[in-house]
């Protein structure tokens, strides 16, 4: 897609298509700022599946460990780097049951990235956490995604 | 004509705001009694809120209660002695300090400390798009954010108000001995004889109503904030004025109930 309006419309349409499974990863869907990283990730399981706090915390810490980010578990949103924030967005989305992850302009979340290898490596590390993953971006960003 | 139009418009706006608040209150009360809303996430928020509002505040609240409670008891007892109304000190202690001043002092304390914080927190969450995050992940704002805060408001107000009353009654032991020369047994006896179940029930209901509205109103005003940061102070000041209006209305209603 070429224009921002078209992209936004496609992103929101995809989100609305299956409210039970869709899980957004976007700068427009920020982390809850008065909660630690692990709480943001655990919230989905605690709310929708009534998972006890200790179990949800363990799951969130395990998910962070998979991305070598256990050290940020007790940090809050402003203290995160853009890469860390992207990973937390992704792990939060992974907590949705049979998650259909929709990533909205990943290079808007991590502007300094030169190509998509970091994004795909991260997705690979947690590929058992989600059912499908769709990336929405501008046509003119195609070069950054290589041969994909 | 302009003046009349403005008065009319103000009346309509006030009436609409009042009916909106009342219908919202009923919606929240209905949700409060639905067991399935009490999930792990909501319980975690509730525990944190009770900790921030009732536990963290305790040292300051205790010191202020001891100072203010003793001061009030001392002044009232001294006045009663000067007016020759020593026989009524039990009624004054129970009827004025325990059932009237304790809830009022506590509600003012909690409003200044927590209600303003809740209003700001809600407005900031709205402005930064965090409310949208909850919506995107199908997390109901009323169940997750509102109900724990409102239950916390009720619990905190009832507990802290009771604490203030207990501290005042303990101060009363000291002052009744100094001013009236009454022993501790005599003091407790007078206090128990003066206790009126109807008054205590009204005081308890008043605490519940105050706790409910001093959290509901700031939340409502916080949620009204737009997407601009400049809407935060507007929302907070509007919320605080409405909270103080609600406190006055509840006080007047409880007084009228006692008269009837």
């Amino acid at each position: 897609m070429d224009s921002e309006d078209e992209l936004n419309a496609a992103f929101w349409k995809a989100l609305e298509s299956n409210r039970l499974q869709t899980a957004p990863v976007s700068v427009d869907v920020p982390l809850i700022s008065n909660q630690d990283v692990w709480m943001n990730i655990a919230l989905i399981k605690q709310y929708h599946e009534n998972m006890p706090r200790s179990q949800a915390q363990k799951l969130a810490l395990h998910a962070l460990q998979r991305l070598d980010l256990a050290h940020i578990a007790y940090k809050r949103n402003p203290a995160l780097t853009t890469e860390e924030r992207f990973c937390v967005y992704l792990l939060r989305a992974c907590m949705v049951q049979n998650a259909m992850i929709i990533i909205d302009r990943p290079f808007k979340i991590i502007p300094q990235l030169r190509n998509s290898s970091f994004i795909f490596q991260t997705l690979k590390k947690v590929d058992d956490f989600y059912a499908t993953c769709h990336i929405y971006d501008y046509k003119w960003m195609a070069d950054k995604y290589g041969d994909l | 004509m302009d003046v009349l139009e403005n008065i009319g418009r103000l009346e309509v706006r006030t009436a609409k705001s009042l009916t909106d608040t009342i219908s919202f209150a009923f919606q929240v009360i209905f949700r409060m009694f639905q067991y399935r809303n009490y999930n792990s996430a909501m319980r975690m928020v509730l525990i944190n809120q009770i900790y921030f509002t009732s536990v963290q505040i305790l040292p300051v609240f205790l010191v202020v209660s001891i100072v203010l409670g003793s001061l009030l008891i001392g002044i009232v007892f001294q006045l009663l002695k000067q007016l020759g109304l020593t026989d009524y000190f039990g009624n004054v202690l129970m009827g004025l300090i325990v059932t009237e001043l304790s809830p009022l002092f506590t509600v003012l304390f909690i409003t200044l400390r927590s209600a303003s914080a809740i209003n700001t927190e809600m407005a900031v969450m709205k402005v930064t798009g965090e409310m949208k995050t909850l919506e995107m992940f199908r997390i109901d704002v009323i169940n997750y954010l509102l109900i724990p805060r409102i239950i916390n408001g009720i619990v905190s107000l009832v507990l802290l108000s009771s604490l203030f009353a207990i501290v005042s009654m303990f101060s009363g032991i000291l002052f009744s001995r100094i001013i009236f020369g009454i022993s501790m047994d005599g003091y407790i006896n007078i206090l128990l004889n003066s206790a009126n179940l109807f008054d205590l029930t009204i005081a308890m209901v008043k605490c519940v109503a105050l706790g409910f509205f001093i959290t509901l109103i700031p939340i409502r005003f916080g949620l009204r904030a737009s997407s601009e940061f400049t809407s935060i102070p507007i929302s907070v000041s509007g919320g605080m004025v409405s909270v103080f209006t609600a406190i006055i209305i509840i006080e007047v209603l409880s007084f009228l109930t006692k008269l009837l």
Side-chain angles (χ1 to χ4, degrees):
Chain A
M1 274 149 274
D2 291 323
S3 77
E4 188 168 350
D5 289 343
E6 273 180 328
L7 198 62
N8 277 334
F11 175 69
W12 292 109
K13 196 180 163 192
L15 280 178
E16 291 299 324
S17 66
N18 185 353
R19 290 295 308 269
L20 290 175
Q21 276 180 274
T22 47
V25 173
S26 165
V27 280
D28 297 327
V29 187
L31 298 175
I32 308 293
S33 54
N34 62 4
Q35 293 194 342
D36 293 347
V37 161
W38 79 263
M39 287 173 169
N40 271 282
I41 298 169
L43 172 65
I44 317 296
K45 290 282 181 196
Q46 284 187 282
Y47 188 86
H48 290 296
E49 296 169 37
N50 198 13
M51 187 182 277
R53 178 197 155 112
S54 57
Q55 200 182 331
Q57 184 177 14
K58 234 181 258 176
L59 181 69
L61 292 176
H62 166 71
L64 283 165
Q65 234 153 17
R66 292 265 291 264
L67 299 179
D68 301 318
L69 289 173
H71 61 281
I72 65 162
Y74 299 96
K75 284 186 181 177
R76 291 193 172 182
N77 189 21
L80 303 178
T81 64
T82 50
E83 284 90 347
E84 287 169 346
R85 193 170 295 122
F86 171 80
C87 292
V88 179
Y89 284 159
L90 181 66
L91 291 177
R92 179 181 62 180
C94 285
M95 293 297 125
V96 173
Q97 236 175 10
N98 298 319
M100 199 175 114
I101 293 175
I102 298 174
I103 306 178
D104 175 31
R105 283 161 285 185
F107 293 99
K108 198 177 167 188
I109 306 172
I110 325 174
Q112 72 275 22
L113 276 190
R114 288 173 182 274
N115 56 53
S116 59
S117 63
F118 172 79
I119 295 160
F120 289 113
Q121 277 167 20
T122 310
L123 281 168
K124 186 107 183 87
K125 282 180 190 170
V126 290
D127 58 1
D128 54 324
F129 277 157
Y130 57 86
T132 58
C133 179
H134 305 267
I135 299 176
Y136 284 72
D137 214 329
Y138 300 111
K139 254 184 198 164
W140 41 266
M141 294 288 277
D143 286 350
K144 289 213 176 193
Y145 290 93
D147 295 332
L148 184 77
Chain B
M1 273 310 274
D2 277 354
V3 177
L4 280 178
E5 271 176 23
N6 285 337
I7 292 171
R9 207 173 292 133
L10 188 72
E11 290 290 324
V12 170
R13 209 186 306 146
T14 311
K16 192 177 178 310
S17 174
L18 196 68
T19 50
D20 282 353
T21 304
I22 290 168
S23 72
F24 188 63
F26 276 111
Q27 197 185 342
V28 171
I29 291 169
F30 177 69
R31 298 271 192 103
M32 273 167 73
F33 289 100
Q34 288 180 318
Y35 178 73
R36 65 185 164 84
N37 291 335
Y38 290 78
N39 53 49
S40 162
M42 184 270 196
R43 288 197 302 270
M44 197 165 89
V45 177
L46 178 60
I47 291 167
N48 283 338
Q49 287 297 318
I50 290 179
Y51 174 73
F52 291 134
T53 312
S54 293
V55 182
Q56 234 179 22
I57 202 179
L58 263 182
V60 179
F61 187 80
L62 262 176
V63 170
V64 177
S65 314
I66 291 168
V67 173
L68 203 67
S70 305
L71 199 69
L72 273 171
I73 295 275
I75 292 168
V76 169
F77 281 12
Q78 191 64 43
L79 267 173
L80 288 175
K81 194 183 177 185
Q82 281 170 4
L83 296 169
L85 299 169
T86 311
D87 294 344
Y88 296 100
F89 93 85
N91 298 68
V92 171
L93 184 67
M94 290 303 288
L96 178 72
I97 297 185
V98 173
T99 63
E100 293 298 331
L101 292 180
S102 298
L104 184 64
F105 167 75
T106 312
V107 79
L108 292 178
F109 205 85
I110 293 184
T111 301
L112 289 172
R113 191 181 182 274
S114 300
S116 52
I118 290 174
N119 198 329
T120 314
E121 188 186 17
M122 291 297 127
V124 169
M125 283 184 83
K126 187 84 188 288
V127 171
T128 55
E130 291 170 30
M131 291 290 175
K132 200 159 84 180
T133 297
L134 296 177
E135 194 189 314
M136 284 295 107
F137 284 97
R138 296 184 301 111
I139 292 170
D140 191 295
V141 172
I142 293 182
N143 294 348
Y144 177 63
L145 292 178
L146 274 69
I147 293 175
R149 281 167 177 78
I150 287 170
I151 294 174
N152 160 59
I154 295 169
V155 170
S156 300
L157 209 93
V158 170
L159 292 181
L160 291 176
S161 179
S162 307
L163 184 68
F164 186 88
I166 290 167
V167 167
S168 303
M169 283 191 279
F170 270 102
S171 311
I173 297 174
L174 182 74
F175 283 96
S176 62
R177 180 175 282 270
I178 296 170
I179 298 171
F180 304 126
I182 298 172
S183 68
M184 193 170 152
D185 285 345
Y187 173 78
I188 291 170
N189 217 10
I190 292 169
L191 218 60
L192 289 174
N193 287 334
S194 316
N196 181 335
L197 186 65
F198 179 70
D199 284 353
L200 289 176
T201 311
I202 297 274
M204 200 53 78
V205 172
K206 187 166 76 176
C207 282
V208 171
L210 287 169
F212 183 84
F213 282 104
I214 62 155
T215 39
L216 180 94
I217 294 169
I219 289 170
R220 247 180 74 74
F221 273 82
L223 292 177
R224 275 188 196 169
S226 67
S227 56
E228 286 167 15
F229 277 101
T230 48
S231 68
I232 297 174
I234 298 167
S235 138
V236 176
S237 62
M240 288 302 101
V241 170
S242 298
V243 164
F244 281 103
T245 311
I247 292 171
I248 293 166
I249 293 172
I250 293 168
E251 285 292 341
V252 170
L253 286 176
S254 86
F255 177 67
L256 289 177
T257 315
K258 273 186 176 179
L259 281 183
L260 297 171

